[in-house]
Amino acid sequence: MTDLEVQAAEFDAADPLAACRERFLLGDEVAYLDGNSLGRPLAVTADALARFTREDWGGRLIRAWDEQWVALPTELGDRLAAVLLGAAPGQTLVGDSTSVLLYKLARAAVDAAPADRDEIVLSDDDFPTDRYLLEGIAAETGRTLRWIPTDHAGGVSVEQAAAAVGPRTALVVLSHVTYRSGHLADAVTITQVAHAAGAPVLWDLCHSVGSVPIDLDGWGADLAVGCTYKYLGGGPGAPAFAYVAARHHGVLRQPVQGWFGRRDPFAMAAGYDPAPGIRQFLSGTPPVLATVPLQVGLDLYAEVGIDAVRAKSVALTEFAVASADALGLELASPRDPQRRGGHVTIRHPDAKALVAALWERGVIPDYRAPDGIRVGLAPLSTSFAEVAAGFGVLAGLMPTS
Ligand SMILES: *Cc1c(COP(=O)(O)O)cnc(C)c1O
């Protein structure tokens, strides 16, 4: 065994969450290092989907809408809020995709801003869909984008956010954990800085939910969206979630005013009359079937608790950083674990070819253009031995000096 493998075996033996890994469906891959992009399924997910098909759908048919599904988007939102978001009930819903929810919330916030607040503040290195959607909203509403120039190996600092916001800010949109470097933003301070300038903040939680603690109510957050198919194991294309702080209900109006966001949708009445509370942010029929894996994923998070998950996540990223250092590789992520989420990125000029070679050998990280090898470490399903195996294969691909 190499030094890394010996160390990994020690860490796995001491890991209080080690047994969680056995609950996932593990394939024949050597190392799955992309659980931050598409989480592995839990074994119980297959049973839950079969049971749902037989009992809820097949057994209750249309009656299940009244019995449980109409309430599902907000009931499941409340559960997610309690387990992972630090949010009181009545402020979170599950449905649509992250892109669609981001559009709905950002557009509502920009529309509610006074006309002289004509700037939307965002990072020039945010996830593409965030940038594209805000470009579209700026064009639709006659606002301009104020880009915060962001280091690919870092993220937006409090100082940068403070310098970008002011009396012209309509909305600030930032990722809590950036998709590229894994930088963890100081969400509470940035929210305070934006509020001091009179602007609301929309937090994108896609890469933080399920890997780092989130305290939306405690931050005084205004708006948030996030994915469920990354760390939460919701499955490919699983619906996203949105949070709107209670103080904004009845004030913000979202633009996709479908029947599910109307007061008493089954009255089928004339004219759109927004539902009270968070339900106004619904649009159409919720994706009930697609929420089944998320429900079992949340059960595991509720059982384990996010603090234990974060502790394992930090240990995994520390181990990955040490493994990269041992190979002399350049880290393109924060070194300080306090400023880092659940993944790390390594910069290498041959990143694209290296990732292709790794995939051929059963080691599955992500390539992120132009030169990033992104190593995702899903705390509930990734073992230290798996990380060591992945870096072992990478070491074999490096030219020996
Ligand atoms: C993954 C991710 C998304 C994905 O949006 P979809 O609508 O699910 O495609 C959006 N924003 C960030 C920051 C992400 O990491």
Side-chain angles (χ1 to χ4, degrees):
M1 287 216 278
T2 63
D3 288 355
L4 272 187
E5 286 167 347
V6 171
Q7 233 177 32
E10 284 169 17
F11 288 154
D12 280 325
D15 172 15
L17 299 189
C20 290
R21 175 178 157 84
E22 304 306 321
R23 301 205 215 166
F24 288 83
L25 293 173
L26 304 173
D28 58 3
E29 65 280 347
V30 174
Y32 186 56
L33 303 175
D34 216 348
N36 61 322
S37 225
L38 178 64
R40 283 169 158 144
L42 281 161
V44 290
T45 300
D47 305 332
L49 282 166
R51 194 171 50 245
F52 176 87
T53 307
R54 266 195 320 271
E55 295 173 13
D56 301 58
W57 176 10
R60 300 308 299 156
L61 292 169
I62 197 81
R63 293 164 290 188
W65 277 109
D66 287 337
E67 291 164 0
Q68 43 171 327
W69 296 335
V70 169
L72 180 78
T74 49
E75 284 183 3
L76 188 54
D78 284 346
R79 178 119 205 283
L80 178 67
V83 174
L84 293 172
L85 303 181
Q91 305 176 99
T92 307
L93 62 81
V94 173
D96 301 320
S97 65
T98 301
S99 297
V100 170
L101 288 177
L102 192 66
Y103 176 78
K104 286 160 65 168
L105 265 50
R107 180 66 203 259
V110 170
D111 284 347
D116 58 350
R117 288 192 172 267
D118 62 350
E119 289 182 349
I120 302 169
V121 172
L122 73 166
S123 159
D124 69 356
D125 195 35
D126 208 341
F127 191 82
T129 207
D130 302 54
R131 290 182 275 117
Y132 305 154
L133 285 160
L134 294 170
E135 281 175 27
I137 289 173
E140 286 168 2
T141 62
R143 267 40 185 222
T144 51
L145 297 177
R146 182 162 179 149
W147 300 96
I148 300 177
T150 311
D151 177 3
H152 277 194
V156 172
S157 66
V158 172
E159 294 70 28
Q160 285 177 298
V165 297
R168 291 182 60 180
T169 311
L171 174 68
V172 179
V173 180
L174 291 172
S175 285
H176 185 210
V177 170
T178 63
Y179 84 105
R180 191 193 299 275
S181 73
H183 175 270
L184 174 62
D186 182 348
V188 64
T189 311
I190 290 176
T191 301
Q192 285 165 1
V193 159
H195 287 179
V201 184
L202 193 171
W203 284 105
D204 186 328
L205 306 174
C206 282
H207 266 95
S208 61
V209 67
S211 71
V212 301
I214 293 167
D215 186 18
L216 289 172
D217 287 346
W219 298 348
D222 302 284
L223 305 164
V225 296
C227 281
T228 70
Y229 54 78
K230 289 173 175 159
Y231 291 105
L232 305 188
F241 63 88
Y243 162 93
V244 180
R247 64 183 179 280
H248 295 302
H249 297 179
V251 180
L252 298 189
R253 269 295 279 268
Q254 62 102 351
V256 189
Q257 48 179 49
W259 69 313
F260 258 73
R262 192 191 186 281
R263 189 185 302 276
D264 194 5
F266 294 96
M268 315 249 168
Y272 181 76
D273 176 16
I278 189 69
R279 289 193 74 86
Q280 196 259 311
F281 294 88
L282 296 173
S283 293
T285 303
V288 176
L289 178 59
T291 64
V292 173
L294 171 62
Q295 299 189 41
V296 298
L298 281 179
D299 289 344
L300 180 56
Y301 273 98
E303 182 189 325
V304 169
I306 189 65
D307 292 332
V309 170
R310 171 65 173 160
K312 168 101 183 261
S313 171
V314 168
L316 282 166
T317 55
E318 287 285 88
F319 187 57
V321 168
S323 305
D325 285 346
L327 291 176
L329 292 165
E330 181 187 347
L331 185 69
S333 294
R335 260 191 193 275
D336 175 5
Q338 308 264 46
R339 286 271 67 86
R340 193 171 67 213
H343 65 273
V344 297
T345 294
I346 292 159
R347 188 179 278 152
H348 194 285
D350 300 327
K352 191 172 187 182
L354 283 170
V355 169
L358 287 167
W359 278 47
E360 272 173 27
R361 290 159 179 78
V363 176
I364 321 288
D366 237 341
Y367 167 64
R368 280 290 168 265
D371 57 4
I373 303 174
R374 197 178 65 172
V375 177
L377 304 150
L380 294 169
S381 69
T382 308
S383 65
F384 292 91
E386 199 174 3
V387 179
F391 276 92
V393 173
L394 181 58
L397 295 170
M398 301 307 279
T400 44
S401 51

